[in-house]
Amino acid sequence: MTGRAQDGLLFLTRLLLAAALLPTGVARALNVSGFAITLAATGLPSPNAVATAAVIVQVFGPVALILGVLPSLSGLALAVFVGVMAVLLHPFWQFVGPSAVAERTLLLADFGLAGGFLMYAMTGPGRWSWQGWRQGARAAASPARSAAKPTAGARGGSKPKRAPGGRAPARAAA
């Protein structure tokens, strides 16, 4: 796969992963107290603090994902968030029949999403991202700096040292 195709595919993957969380995160941000009530029903201690932290991760995590900012940290944080929320919100073992099947399916889908975030954390965002732009800017600045520094021969300064007797030093054979 060519570099451009791979970068385009990584960008598309980041958009799709972010699309799985961002709309729900925005909806929860508009009703944090309702989400806290949902978490309180699971028996979670201090549901207001957990709901606020979850909304922050669920809104800013996908934005960092789309931009490609701190891929290891954001990918790992989103994977942990999705895994924990899946277990808290989809306890299929408490249900019977079709409800249990539906909850188990949602739990496994969330675990698959967590796997996607872990893959993102491992592979990185590609060149079409904030990180790729920064690396490209550093690489472009690097040759400019080295071109500005003249070499010893270009300065007209020192010549290679010669061994006694006027011969050039012999190089060690590898």
Side-chain angles (χ1 to χ4, degrees), residues 140-154:
S142 183
R145 283 189 211 149
S146 64
K149 293 181 184 177
T151 61

Side-chain angles (χ1 to χ4, degrees), residues 7-166:
D7 290 330
L9 193 59
L10 286 170
F11 180 66
L12 178 63
T13 303
R14 290 193 339 256
L15 290 177
L16 291 172
L17 285 170
L21 287 184
L22 191 57
T24 308
V26 170
R28 286 179 178 168
L30 297 174
N31 187 12
V32 177
S33 59
F35 183 47
I37 291 170
T38 303
L39 293 176
T42 66
L44 190 69
S46 40
N48 288 329
V50 173
T52 302
V55 165
I56 290 170
V57 170
Q58 201 168 1
V59 171
F60 291 109
V63 171
L65 183 71
I66 291 169
L67 297 175
V69 177
L70 299 171
S72 297
L73 179 64
S74 61
L76 186 61
L78 288 169
V80 169
F81 168 77
V82 168
V84 169
M85 285 295 140
V87 171
L88 287 175
L89 299 178
H90 303 295
F92 70 91
W93 53 90
Q94 296 177 356
F95 295 90
V96 177
S99 296
V101 172
E103 290 296 322
R104 185 179 63 232
T105 302
L106 291 171
L107 178 87
L108 293 175
D110 283 349
F111 282 164
L113 188 59
F117 290 129
L118 289 175
M119 288 179 72
Y120 164 72
M122 299 281 296
T123 61
R127 277 187 243 144
W128 296 359
S129 65
W130 173 258
Q131 182 183 12
W133 175 79
R134 285 187 58 212
Q135 288 174 350
R138 281 190 211 144
S142 183
R145 283 189 211 149
S146 64
K149 293 181 184 177
T151 61
R155 283 183 271 171
S158 63
K159 293 181 181 179
K161 293 188 178 183
R162 301 216 172 242

